[in-house]
Amino acid sequence: MTGVFPDRSAYLPQDLRSRFRNAVLAGREVAERGVRAALASMDVDGAPQSELGAALQRRLASYGRDLDGLVEECAYTQWHRVLFARFLAENELLLHDEGVSLTLADCADLAAEEDDGRDAWDVAVHYAGRMLPSIFRPHDPAARMRLAAEHREAMHSVVMELPTPVFTAADSLGWSYQYWQARRKDELNDSEVLIGGAELPAVTQLFTEPYMVDFLIDNVLGAWWDARHPDTPLAFGELRRDGEGRPAAGTLPSWPDAVAELRVIDPCCGSGHFLVAGFHALLRMRVAAEGSSPADAGDAVLRENLAGLELDARCIQIAELNLSVAAWLTGGYRPLPEMRLASSGMHIRGQLDDWRHLAGADSAVQGTLERVYGLMAHSDHLGSLINPRREPGGEAFVAELERALPAVRDAVAGLDLTLISDAYGDQILNAALALELLTEQHHLVVTNVPYLGAGKMASDLTRFVERRYPSGRQDLATAMLARCAELCAAGGTVAAVSPRHWLNLRTLSDFRDEFLDTAFPAVVGVLGSRAFTSIGGEVVNVTVGVFNRGRRPDHVAVLDAT
């Protein structure tokens, strides 16, 4: 396998970023044109005559009859199935049933041999789906749609015109989402529209620079390893030390001593940049501490150590693909354990009757589904701000969820899923896992918080933030920082990229007092403006910080990189 995903220095150069951006924008335009034509031919907005048309019509109803929303979802699925298949092929990870890697030329030969109307891309997507069924879902109506030949060929041409290095760079999967949203983000930023559930993913997603990721991961996980295993050094290039040679972030005495017990979550994980960096760090630790093979260590990290939440379910798919590629390139291809990744912001309003139907005659499961639905019904704009422990009933409600969620999973697993019911089954399972992760306490909460001022928030989001996080209501970023502290176990750590203004603005003095009274600063790096290569000018002025919950430190390390 020749992919370079484990090499964290192999990032997409600027000229290829521009080329990739143009290709993604062109691919979106072609895909949306093809989807509109296909939906019109099925008369989805009228009286569809096929099971696929009926499934898409039900999906349209869940969007509140927003045809543009359905078109965008279907186009995203059509484009990214092809894009992801080429990512796997170029990294020699698109595998035949016999374990032989397939090129796209091989897929064309297989299609010609079968002579069943499929082309090379159909074959590539078929094998990709066998490897990643949770991303290439077989019953997904958006994927089952067949675009007209001219639209398919145009979309395939755009993908094939990209050079191979685009698909072997370590950060390309993350950029693919940024570029898909680029025009929508510009339109929303230039408008007077207040930002709510439908707009948040496009506006608040910001590609986290690799140096920020490395700095935070190395100065927390690296500090923990350094304190526990001084005689087994591992390379953490960004680990900073104090004058006595100790890790600047401290020794994290409240954390477990065994790497298997560490719990790490990114509650705004985007395409998984922190998760992939954390995966590589934790894998090396488990290999060194447990004597495990890279494959066994990687599986254990995915199963036990890492978790991720994100508002947009599509980012969760990219994060899963990112982690899958990282695991396969470091330990060889094998079926991977179920990852602890979930969308904390799925659009589910209007589906309660479908959820009740999926519960069957089990009244206990139905009751739990109704509570899960009620809690997650507005998750499309609240996402990881939701805290089940602060709901009415508090800990009793959490205990009820913990008892009932396995029964919910069993009920969904036992369903005879169809094209129509499959989407709701997936959403129920996702909501159950999201609530589980939102309820747990973690040793490390690491993220790049969303950036959105109070003046741009839609009314539902504004009211929630004012009620739950009043001292941080001026910005979504400060509200999310407060939520990160809630996700921490006692003695846990928040490591975050965040706007600089919360550290010094008078209007945020109450928030500063509250946050720093429980999460004490250990390392603060002031980056200033122009810290993101994807943003010009003075738009975002940021800091990276490590904050430990527990006893006050005897020093704070401050790095001024402005």
Side-chain angles (χ1 to χ4, degrees):
M1 298 177 183
T2 59
V4 293
F5 279 75
D7 180 359
R8 289 158 69 183
S9 66
Y11 298 114
L12 199 63
Q14 188 61 50
D15 61 328
L16 287 185
R17 282 192 200 176
S18 299
R19 191 166 173 181
F20 190 28
R21 183 182 190 276
N22 292 337
V24 172
L25 292 174
R28 176 169 182 169
E29 184 178 337
V30 169
E32 289 186 347
R33 190 162 60 244
V35 165
R36 287 188 185 278
L39 291 175
S41 69
M42 286 185 281
D43 194 21
V44 167
D45 211 19
Q49 302 301 310
S50 67
E51 183 190 19
L52 176 59
L56 288 165
Q57 187 179 62
R58 286 166 67 86
R59 188 71 63 85
L60 177 61
S62 75
Y63 276 103
R65 310 304 297 176
D66 176 15
L67 185 60
D68 288 342
L70 178 63
V71 168
E72 199 262 349
E73 177 194 344
C74 293
Y76 179 92
T77 300
Q78 292 283 328
W79 164 256
H80 281 83
R81 282 162 69 87
V82 173
L83 190 73
F84 292 168
R86 189 171 174 205
F87 266 104
L88 292 175
E90 294 291 357
N91 286 278
E92 299 181 20
L93 286 171
L94 185 65
L95 302 183
H96 191 272
D97 296 342
E98 299 174 356
V100 179
S101 62
L102 297 171
T103 66
L104 291 173
D106 294 330
C107 293
D109 291 341
L110 289 170
E113 290 174 10
E114 295 295 334
D115 193 28
D116 56 2
R118 295 189 303 167
D119 61 19
W121 291 101
D122 292 322
V123 173
V125 167
H126 165 75
Y127 285 107
R130 293 173 71 91
M131 299 169 65
L132 295 162
S134 59
I135 296 177
F136 296 84
R137 295 190 295 116
H139 293 289
D140 184 0
R144 292 280 293 273
M145 177 188 297
R146 185 79 176 177
L147 304 189
E150 63 268 25
H151 298 127
R152 285 170 54 80
E153 291 169 5
M155 191 168 61
H156 298 162
S157 294
V158 174
V159 175
M160 288 306 297
E161 287 171 2
L162 286 168
T164 296
V166 167
F167 298 92
T168 55
D171 53 345
S172 290
L173 282 169
W175 286 117
S176 71
Y177 182 86
Q178 298 288 305
Y179 297 152
W180 179 267
Q181 296 281 32
R183 284 179 181 161
R184 175 69 171 154
K185 182 173 185 174
D186 290 343
E187 291 169 0
L188 289 168
N189 285 335
D190 292 341
S191 73
E192 299 298 319
V193 173
L194 295 179
I195 307 302
E199 301 83 22
L200 274 168
V203 171
T204 60
Q205 283 290 338
L206 180 61
F207 188 93
T208 309
E209 296 290 333
Y211 76 88
M212 301 174 183
V213 175
D214 293 349
F215 182 85
L216 291 177
I217 291 294
D218 288 359
N219 278 288
V220 184
L221 292 181
W224 175 86
W225 178 266
D226 186 84
R228 301 304 190 283
H229 301 273
D231 297 327
T232 312
L234 293 177
F236 291 98
E238 292 298 323
L239 178 61
R240 305 304 170 96
R241 300 179 183 277
D242 64 17
E244 298 180 11
R246 299 170 302 184
T251 59
L252 308 172
S254 298
W255 284 33
D257 289 331
V259 63
E261 297 176 20
L262 296 183
R263 299 293 177 264
V264 178
I265 189 170
D266 183 345
C268 312
C269 71
S271 302
H273 306 124
F274 280 111
L275 296 179
V276 171
F279 171 84
H280 287 302
L282 289 160
L283 182 148
R284 290 190 294 136
M285 292 176 182
R286 296 195 76 141
V287 168
E290 302 166 355
S292 306
S293 68
D296 289 343
D299 289 356
V301 169
L302 296 176
R303 187 172 52 246
E304 299 169 1
N305 298 120
L306 283 180
L309 290 161
E310 176 53 56
L311 199 68
D312 193 335
R314 299 173 299 186
C315 282
I316 290 297
Q317 289 186 341
I318 299 177
E320 181 176 346
L321 181 56
N322 251 324
L323 282 170
S324 297
V325 170
W328 289 332
L329 289 175
T330 51
Y333 174 77
R334 72 275 185 197
L336 297 173
E338 183 177 348
M339 297 185 196
R340 289 161 51 79
L341 304 174
S343 168
S344 56
M346 295 190 77
H347 183 97
I348 63 171
R349 286 194 290 279
Q351 298 178 13
L352 182 55
D353 287 342
D354 296 288
W355 285 39
R356 287 174 175 149
H357 175 73
L358 290 179
D362 192 324
S363 60
V365 172
Q366 186 177 109
T368 302
L369 283 179
E370 289 175 356
R371 292 208 68 176
V372 171
Y373 180 89
L375 190 56
M376 299 296 286
H378 298 282
S379 65
D380 58 330
H381 62 270
L382 300 181
S384 296
L385 291 174
I386 294 171
N387 185 352
R389 295 181 183 276
R390 296 183 64 177
E391 291 302 310
E395 296 302 319
F397 173 55
V398 170
E400 177 191 330
L401 280 175
E402 291 173 347
R403 287 192 303 270
L405 289 181
V408 170
R409 291 194 184 93
D410 291 344
V412 174
L415 291 169
D416 179 18
L417 295 178
T418 67
L419 204 60
I420 292 177
S421 69
D422 178 61
Y424 300 116
D426 280 351
Q427 289 178 344
I428 290 171
L429 292 176
N430 174 85
L433 177 56
L435 283 179
E436 189 175 312
L437 298 180
L438 289 167
T439 302
E440 291 177 354
Q441 303 282 275
H442 309 269
H443 303 108
L444 172 59
V445 182
V446 57
T447 199
N448 181 6
V449 297
Y451 302 80
L452 186 69
K456 291 288 287 183
M457 294 184 202
S459 57
D460 286 349
L461 180 58
T462 297
R463 285 194 295 269
F464 182 88
V465 169
E466 287 179 345
R467 185 173 73 253
R468 285 291 173 85
Y469 304 104
S471 67
R473 65 185 181 276
Q474 288 91 340
D475 198 295
L476 184 57
T478 43
M480 186 57 70
L481 272 177
R483 178 67 181 109
C484 287
E486 293 176 345
L487 284 164
C488 269
T493 299
V494 175
V497 184
S498 63
R500 182 181 177 179
H501 62 248
W502 76 267
L503 291 173
N504 62 311
L505 286 185
R506 290 184 181 180
T507 52
L508 284 166
S509 61
D510 289 345
F511 171 79
R512 201 157 47 245
D513 288 345
E514 290 178 15
F515 183 81
L516 297 178
D517 191 46
T518 57
F520 305 118
V523 179
V524 177
V526 182
L527 304 182
S529 57
R530 303 181 186 274
F532 294 95
T533 60
S534 58
I535 301 178
E538 310 296 313
V539 179
V540 179
N541 192 328
V542 298
T543 183
V544 289
V546 176
F547 305 90
N548 294 323
R549 298 196 70 189
R551 61 184 182 185
R552 295 179 182 271
D554 56 8
H555 68 271
V556 179
V558 179
L559 296 86
D560 186 348
T562 54

